[in-house]
Amino acid sequence: MRAAQITRLDGPDAVRVAEVEEPSSAEGAEQVVIDVHAAGVAFPDALLTRGLYQYKPELPFTPGAEIAGVVRSAPADAHVAAGDRVLGLTMLSGGMAEVVALPAERVFPLPDAVSFEAGAGILFNDLTVQFALRTRGRLAEGETVLVHGAAGGIGTSALRLAPALGAARTIAVVSTEEKAEIARAAGASDVVLADGFRDAVKEITGGRGVDVVVDPVGGDRFTDSLRSLAVGGRLLVIGFTGGEIPTVKVNRLLLNNVDVVGAGWGAWTFSHPGYLQEQWAELQPLLASGVVPAPQPEVFPLEQAAQAIASLENRNAKGKVVLKLR
Ligand SMILES: NC(=O)c1ccc[n+]([C@@H]2O[C@H](COP(=O)([O-])OP(=O)(O)OC[C@H]3O[C@@H](n4cnc5c(N)ncnc54)[C@H](OP(=O)(O)O)[C@@H]3O)[C@@H](O)[C@H]2O)c1
């Protein structure tokens, strides 16, 4: 089968499409084997190409945390069967391949209304955002959510999900006007530019500030994000695409009664068996009914895996990025 492979740790340029072995028959007997139609691309894939992610597999390896496709075979006791349209989580690597074998608990039925390309952009970001907003961020009905990196994968996911989880208003923070359009299309109530976002947020909220900040960027925006919180507000630490890991002077938390909250979804799922299924039970009807709209991904062919991954590293990605394999 064909698969994207990271062959050297010197960036996305070294990603090649190669012929590799399909999952073995032993794997196929115990796991759900899926013919992959589309695979999601996320920022950790870019980090993996440079050996900068906490998970460091042996070279060469196939990146990709999430897929959408059709079940080829499944164990008799699995909740899916051959022919079913499904989504799947590899969680860390292996998704950018024509065939993937996954444990049944990481396979979910794909709602009929959602295409394979859009589906491949759902699980990794939407489940992270749902975990961050609900479980860690305690998002309450009627609250206002500020979203950094709002035209990216996590960002567009936060804009799509937050209203369904109770937010009355979402304020998107982006670096360019072109990205502002992407954030609006994902449902942002307001869009502000990263440069000077603190003043813009103050004005939009009448000086009150926001209840929750979704922060996949970190870096030098962090202090202004804290200053943008209303009393009782929560800043959700999701990632550091800005490069720098910020530090916090805790007197700010005390003086303003605000929280900085870590939101590491992958680690949480490993320490909370059954949590993925609970998450899907909430998300699936929202997606199937259209209350949460499907992602509108930018789609690259598998042959352009290197360019697709590079677009995240180069900050050019337009919304969620997905590879088409079939
Ligand atoms: N905590 C978790 O469980 C979890 C789960 C999934 C992903 N993550 C993390 O979440 C972060 C976002 O992932 P993603 O897939 O959403 O990435 P993405 O699609 O590339 O979006 C990231 C956004 O960050 C902004 N950004 C600011 N400075 C940047 C820079 N120097 N380089 C690149 N982008 C920059 C960009 O928006 P502007 O240009 O508009 O500023 C971009 O749209 C990553 O750090 C990822 O590892 C965490």
Side-chain angles (χ1 to χ4, degrees), residues 41-45 47 53-54 124-125 128-129 131-132 148-156 173-176 179 194 215-218 221 237-243 262-267 311-317 319-321:
V41 182
F43 203 80
D45 298 313
L47 296 175
Y53 201 51
Q54 55 263 38
F124 197 63
N125 294 326
T128 296
V129 165
F131 162 71
H148 284 292
I154 289 284
T156 50
V173 184
V174 294
S175 58
T176 65
K179 289 190 176 186
D215 187 10
V217 175
R221 300 179 188 186
V237 178
I238 296 184
F240 311 103
T241 57
W265 166 72
S311 74
L312 275 73
E313 186 178 82
N314 301 336
R315 210 171 167 175
N316 297 326
K320 175 69 188 180
V321 174

Side-chain angles (χ1 to χ4, degrees), residues 57-310:
E58 250 179 63
L59 291 171
F61 67 94
T62 295
E66 56 187 335
I67 55 112
V70 175
V71 175
R72 183 189 278 189
S73 66
D77 59 352
H79 63 293
V80 292
D84 288 355
R85 297 168 83 245
V86 292
L87 304 178
L89 276 173
T90 68
M91 293 304 274
L92 292 167
S93 64
M96 297 180 195
E98 286 180 321
V99 187
V100 163
L102 291 175
E105 66 269 18
R106 285 201 252 123
V107 178
F108 309 89
L110 172 61
D112 290 341
V114 182
S115 70
F116 290 118
E117 287 86 0
I122 288 176
L123 290 177
F124 197 63
N125 294 326
D126 285 9
L127 296 181
T128 296
V129 165
Q130 183 199 32
F131 162 71
L133 288 177
R134 260 234 196 294
T135 303
R136 301 292 295 141
R138 313 182 305 277
L139 178 66
E141 204 63 42
E143 289 193 319
T144 298
V145 179
L146 179 75
V147 180
H148 284 292
I154 289 284
T156 50
S157 174
L159 294 173
R160 290 171 36 252
L161 258 73
L165 300 182
R169 186 176 204 180
T170 52
I171 305 174
V173 184
V174 294
S175 58
T176 65
E177 286 298 342
E178 192 190 10
K179 289 190 176 186
E181 283 311 309
I182 294 163
R184 282 191 196 98
S189 321
D190 299 274
V191 185
V192 302
L193 290 176
D195 212 10
F197 80 88
R198 180 185 164 201
D199 290 341
V201 168
K202 196 170 175 188
E203 197 183 321
I204 288 173
T205 60
R208 177 183 176 273
V210 300
D211 302 292
V212 174
V213 175
V214 171
D215 187 10
V217 175
D220 56 11
R221 300 179 188 186
F222 190 81
T223 303
D224 277 347
S225 291
L226 274 183
R227 291 180 175 133
S228 298
L229 285 174
V231 174
R234 289 84 69 203
L235 191 163
L236 307 179
V237 178
I238 296 184
F240 311 103
T241 57
E244 186 203 325
I245 297 180
T247 53
V248 55
K249 290 213 165 106
V250 294
N251 62 325
R252 284 188 198 285
L253 312 185
L254 178 152
L255 291 172
N256 300 318
N257 283 301
V258 295
D259 297 1
V260 174
V261 184
W265 166 72
W268 188 273
T269 67
F270 291 127
S271 60
H272 291 74
Y275 184 72
L276 283 174
Q277 282 67 33
E278 275 173 42
Q279 288 200 284
W280 187 248
E282 181 179 35
L283 188 57
Q284 190 274 341
L286 297 174
L287 286 163
S289 62
V291 170
V292 170
Q296 302 172 46
E298 184 181 16
V299 182
F300 291 74
L302 174 65
E303 292 67 29
Q304 289 178 18
Q307 291 93 315
I309 296 172

